[in-house]
Amino acid sequence: MCGFAGTLNGDIHRPADARLTVLLADKLKHRGPDDKDSFSDGPYAVSHRRLNIIDLTVKGRQPMQNEAGTISIAYNGEVYNFRELRDRHALDRKFVFRSRTDTEVLLNLYETMGIEFVDELNGMFAMAIWDSRKKTLYLIRDRFGIKPLFFALVGDSLWFASEIKGILPLPGFERKTCLEAVYRYFSFNYIPGDITVFEGIKEVRPGCWLEARSGSGLRTAQRQYWRPAYGSENPRDLRAVVENVRDLLTSAVRSQLISDVPVGVMLSGGLDSSTLTALMSKVRGDSGFHTFSIGFDEKSFDESGPARTVAAKIGTIHHRINIKPELVADKLEAQACSIDEPYADGSAIPTYLLSQDAKNYVTVLLSGEGGDEVFAGYDTHLAYRIRKVYRRSPAAVRKLLQKLACLMPVSYSKLSLDFRVKRFVQAAEFDVPLSHYKWREVFSEHEKRQLFVDGAELQRRFGPSGDLFSQQFESISGEDELNKLLGLDCSFHLPDDLMIKNDRMTMAHSLEARVPFTDLPLFEYMAGLSSQWKLHGFTLKYLLKRAMETDLPKEIIHKKKIGLEIPYSKWFCSELRELLLDHLSETGLREIPFLNRRFVLNIVDEHLQKRRDRGRELWGLLNFVIWHRHRLG
């Protein structure tokens, strides 16, 4: 796992500023504290920071060049089928290998196949490949957006980096806020798509590469090399399907244990991470590895008990990290520094604190991200099924239920009944993709018109955020609606929320996080199946539960999904009240001219008076204000 920063000039005769790339890459030292090096070739230069995972010697140093010196690669990630690719393409007959790394396999594979080599890769990666023969740079990102890659055009030069902080210090770059990104942020509590909060900085999208050619001016084009293809296969033999799933899961875990440094597991106590822990023990043939879980004093948020049950059954070396409100308050600025953008997933700071502890024992962590998107595990997937039944009721009955839902008393427990019922009956009135969006929405379009000083104008310029879901839903292949919703989650929630959290919070402590549920053969097999195999009746993750029923305790198989989140709704009324009132005050909001201070203060009062649970909105606002103060203040 690594980080890099580089540049390509449009004028082929103007040498790149190699010294500046070194300074930019040093901003990413946390991504690669073990080694560093640079490479320059005419208009191109790149600097790299390395975290040693495979082949810990200097032979794995990057940027790495081919024997002729015509191709250079700077790479961040792990390609798990690199040994298979090395054999399949007989690379040892064509090249003399100097290292045991996957980096060198990728370098030689590109020399053999050209840019089409990316179709063969199974793993997580962001890479920059410079081909001096064609004066062309390729910036390539993995299919699921596991590893980050940003770029900006400054004058006639392209600059790129593994994190935004590797671009921000550029001379002449103006830190101007992208209002569309802010507008979208308050819909999701993260920024979707290729835009970032900084005007002029964009992100290479998952499954895409950016091609940039130097000559008499810079020419760029972004191409999509992969999109998920969903099918509706409905095999008759349940036992064979379950065995296939189990074999693919085992293979995914086995391939992602390849490492020359210790590997552990983020064990939440949920089905996904418990599956990884059980299979890792089977693949290794022992349980002498570390597992890490998060704990809370608030019972409805705490999954450390089930995590302890799994760890005890398997016999791992288990660690529990207890999350207190004062710890969360202390790490809010660290989260802003690590992500560089406003971001308000409540699991981010707990993941940061878990990683901080885990670094004392391991360098690689397996994580369960992707399990819900592959096997259908979110409450929103269940809500889709319930909605089909609910919509058969007469409109008058549904309207009455909406009124009754509004009378339910407010609770600040995790996924409380009043929160779920109110959210469901409101969202169920929309079509399939918009219902899916509304179940996740933070601020509604009506509320954003009030949240922003020029809210109506911003809405006219950018359009409703729900349109992003509707447009993407229509572009996903197949007729199976639930599969298309899984595709929506893979397009937005997975790369733009979960993978950001997973990458930045672990890399802040020089840890590599691997996500076996995104293993390509596993994903493609599951994507090809009818959604009836994933959501069986009203049973979420049906196939995963069947595949693991002999390896995990029954209480884990049948446990209700909780998900990692902090109890901010409750804490805002107690331990974090002072912090909230300090930042979301008349004074604290004055430096953000585009927000309507009176509307924000009303939301604060509404929550503190327990008239409505506004925890998600306030958590988003709090994180935005802290980010704004840190980055632009």
Side-chain angles (χ1 to χ4, degrees), residues 10 12 43 52 61 95 167 174 244 283 372 396 402 434 485 496 539 561 566:
I12 200 169
N52 295 338
R61 178 176 289 167
F95 305 97
I167 295 176
E174 183 181 358
N244 284 340
V283 168
D372 292 308
Q402 291 176 41
L434 273 181
L485 293 180
D496 297 329
T539 301
K561 180 179 176 62
I566 61 173

Side-chain angles (χ1 to χ4, degrees), residues 412-596:
Y412 290 160
S413 297
K414 177 71 184 289
L415 292 177
S416 61
L417 180 62
D418 78 286
F419 175 86
R420 286 182 291 165
V421 170
K422 291 171 184 176
R423 181 61 61 114
F424 174 81
V425 296
Q426 292 166 5
E429 296 303 315
F430 297 89
D431 65 18
V432 170
L434 273 181
S435 291
H436 197 65
Y437 165 75
K438 290 289 183 180
W439 286 320
R440 291 189 180 277
E441 185 179 57
V442 181
F443 282 98
S444 69
E445 296 300 320
H446 173 72
E447 289 175 322
K448 284 192 296 180
R449 282 197 295 273
Q450 302 171 76
L451 175 63
F452 290 93
V453 172
D454 295 321
E457 172 60 19
L458 293 179
Q459 190 174 76
R460 186 191 66 79
R461 285 172 58 189
F462 306 132
S465 295
D467 287 356
L468 301 179
F469 271 42
S470 296
Q471 293 160 10
Q472 185 67 15
F473 183 83
E474 292 304 319
S475 74
I476 296 171
S477 63
E479 300 299 322
D480 189 316
E481 287 183 337
L482 180 55
N483 270 343
K484 294 179 76 164
L485 293 180
L486 296 178
L488 270 183
D489 292 336
C490 285
S491 300
F492 294 105
H493 185 63
L494 184 63
D496 297 329
D497 182 356
L498 300 184
M499 295 309 184
I500 287 177
K501 175 257 299 182
N502 225 35
D503 176 80
R504 307 307 191 282
M505 297 297 96
T506 55
M507 289 307 300
H509 302 286
S510 305
L511 278 176
E512 174 175 291
R514 298 179 177 179
V515 279
F517 284 105
T518 62
D519 185 72
L520 192 57
L522 171 65
F523 178 88
E524 291 185 333
Y525 178 77
M526 288 299 301
L529 293 177
S530 164
S531 64
Q532 298 294 328
W533 291 89
K534 303 162 193 177
L535 177 56
H536 190 69
F538 294 99
T539 301
L540 293 165
K541 290 185 178 173
Y542 175 71
L543 276 181
L544 182 58
K545 290 175 179 178
R546 290 298 303 267
M548 297 305 298
E549 61 188 357
T550 60
D551 293 279
L552 293 173
K554 287 184 178 180
E555 60 265 35
I556 301 299
I557 294 290
H558 300 296
K559 187 175 77 69
K560 182 182 180 297
K561 180 179 176 62
I562 296 179
L564 179 56
E565 185 68 273
I566 61 173
Y568 39 61
S569 291
K570 180 181 177 182
W571 287 352
F572 282 147
C573 295
S574 51
E575 294 95 335
L576 296 185
R577 183 187 180 101
E578 185 177 340
L579 176 78
L580 180 73
L581 293 175
D582 178 46
H583 286 87
L584 300 187
S585 64
E586 192 71 48
T587 303
L589 293 164
R590 192 168 290 137
E591 63 189 61
I592 309 177
F594 49 78
L595 290 185
N596 179 345

Side-chain angles (χ1 to χ4, degrees), residues 34-198:
D34 297 329
D35 199 1
K36 64 178 181 178
D37 205 355
S38 299
F39 170 80
S40 61
D41 178 23
Y44 176 73
V46 66
S47 293
H48 187 273
R49 301 287 319 209
R50 187 184 181 210
L51 176 65
N52 295 338
I53 300 292
I54 296 175
D55 191 342
L56 310 186
T57 72
V58 294
K59 293 178 181 178
R61 178 176 289 167
Q62 297 184 51
M64 190 177 288
Q65 290 75 51
N66 65 343
E67 293 177 13
T70 56
I71 302 168
S72 174
I73 183 172
Y75 165 55
N76 167 31
E78 304 289 348
V79 168
Y80 305 114
N81 62 336
F82 75 100
R83 291 173 179 167
E84 174 191 331
L85 293 173
R86 182 171 173 169
D87 292 339
R88 185 194 308 163
H89 295 279
L91 297 181
D92 287 283
R93 298 179 188 174
K94 305 169 187 176
F95 305 97
V96 176
F97 279 81
R98 296 159 288 177
S99 73
R100 296 186 292 106
T101 64
D102 53 342
T103 309
E104 194 168 4
V105 172
L106 300 181
L107 180 67
N108 293 330
L109 199 59
Y110 171 81
E111 187 169 0
T112 300
M113 301 179 62
I115 189 60
E116 287 74 20
F117 87 108
V118 72
D119 295 330
E120 307 237 356
L121 308 184
N122 178 20
M124 55 181 187
F125 50 86
M127 64 184 86
I129 294 181
W130 167 246
D131 190 332
S132 65
R133 301 165 303 182
K134 300 191 294 183
K135 303 302 178 189
T136 298
L137 168 68
Y138 296 101
L139 300 179
I140 312 167
R141 196 166 177 218
D142 67 65
R143 294 168 176 83
F144 300 98
I146 306 167
K147 305 318 299 174
L149 187 51
F150 298 90
F151 66 94
L153 292 171
V154 181
D156 192 32
S157 297
L158 173 73
W159 292 85
F160 57 92
S162 298
E163 293 182 17
I164 290 174
K165 62 174 57 69
I167 295 176
L168 287 177
L170 282 173
F173 182 80
E174 183 181 358
R175 298 188 184 190
K176 186 178 178 183
T177 303
C178 172
L179 283 179
E180 181 181 1
V182 175
Y183 189 77
R184 300 293 181 219
Y185 166 78
F186 283 112
S187 298
F188 297 95
N189 272 354
Y190 62 84
I191 297 171
D194 65 346
I195 59 174
T196 74
V197 77
F198 295 101

Side-chain angles (χ1 to χ4, degrees), residues 320-337:
R320 180 185 185 273
I321 297 90
N322 198 46
I323 305 299
K324 300 280 190 180
E326 57 269 22
L327 284 173
V328 171
D330 184 57
K331 296 304 179 185
L332 279 166
E333 187 171 318
Q335 173 181 299
C337 293

Side-chain angles (χ1 to χ4, degrees), residues 222-506:
Q222 190 162 182
R223 308 182 193 281
Q224 185 169 9
Y225 67 84
W226 182 83
R227 67 174 69 239
Y230 289 90
S232 55
E233 185 180 350
N234 202 4
R236 294 182 179 180
D237 190 344
L238 172 62
R239 181 178 296 180
V241 173
V242 170
E243 287 178 359
N244 284 340
V245 168
R246 184 177 173 80
D247 288 346
L248 288 166
L249 280 166
T250 304
S251 177
V253 170
R254 179 180 292 110
S255 68
Q256 298 198 24
L257 291 182
I258 298 172
S259 172
D260 293 334
V261 293
V263 181
V265 182
M266 293 187 198
L267 178 56
S268 70
L271 180 59
D272 297 336
S273 61
S274 299
T275 293
L276 299 182
T277 304
L279 292 179
M280 180 170 170
S281 177
K282 285 192 173 293
V283 168
R284 283 172 49 111
D286 68 78
S287 56
F289 55 91
H290 295 270
T291 53
F292 305 87
S293 69
I294 292 294
F296 294 97
D297 293 336
E298 291 75 11
K299 287 187 177 180
S300 64
F301 287 77
D302 184 45
E303 285 192 283
S304 61
R308 201 161 44 240
T309 297
V310 174
K313 173 179 171 55
I314 294 171
T316 67
I317 307 163
H318 191 60
H319 310 261
R320 180 185 185 273
I321 297 90
N322 198 46
I323 305 299
K324 300 280 190 180
E326 57 269 22
L327 284 173
V328 171
D330 184 57
K331 296 304 179 185
L332 279 166
E333 187 171 318
Q335 173 181 299
C337 293
S338 297
I339 295 179
D340 299 320
E341 296 191 89
Y343 177 81
D345 188 315
S347 66
I349 291 176
T351 304
Y352 181 98
L353 292 166
L354 182 150
S355 301
Q356 182 176 273
D357 185 77
K359 183 60 180 176
N360 296 319
Y361 307 95
V362 300
T363 308
V364 175
L365 282 170
L366 300 189
S367 179
E369 271 71 19
D372 292 308
E373 287 78 7
V374 171
F375 286 97
Y378 290 125
D379 283 345
T380 52
H381 304 147
L382 184 59
Y384 158 79
R385 182 65 52 83
I386 297 172
R387 173 190 173 276
K388 296 183 77 171
V389 177
Y390 173 80
R391 292 277 295 189
R392 295 173 192 156
S393 303
V397 173
R398 301 201 306 270
K399 191 156 289 195
L400 176 61
L401 289 173
Q402 291 176 41
K403 290 180 180 179
L404 292 174
C406 291
L407 299 176
M408 296 180 71
V410 172
S411 168
Y412 290 160
S413 297
K414 177 71 184 289
L415 292 177
S416 61
L417 180 62
D418 78 286
F419 175 86
R420 286 182 291 165
V421 170
K422 291 171 184 176
R423 181 61 61 114
F424 174 81
V425 296
Q426 292 166 5
E429 296 303 315
F430 297 89
D431 65 18
V432 170
L434 273 181
S435 291
H436 197 65
Y437 165 75
K438 290 289 183 180
W439 286 320
R440 291 189 180 277
E441 185 179 57
V442 181
F443 282 98
S444 69
E445 296 300 320
H446 173 72
E447 289 175 322
K448 284 192 296 180
R449 282 197 295 273
Q450 302 171 76
L451 175 63
F452 290 93
V453 172
D454 295 321
E457 172 60 19
L458 293 179
Q459 190 174 76
R460 186 191 66 79
R461 285 172 58 189
F462 306 132
S465 295
D467 287 356
L468 301 179
F469 271 42
S470 296
Q471 293 160 10
Q472 185 67 15
F473 183 83
E474 292 304 319
S475 74
I476 296 171
S477 63
E479 300 299 322
D480 189 316
E481 287 183 337
L482 180 55
N483 270 343
K484 294 179 76 164
L485 293 180
L486 296 178
L488 270 183
D489 292 336
C490 285
S491 300
F492 294 105
H493 185 63
L494 184 63
D496 297 329
D497 182 356
L498 300 184
M499 295 309 184
I500 287 177
K501 175 257 299 182
N502 225 35
D503 176 80
R504 307 307 191 282
M505 297 297 96
T506 55

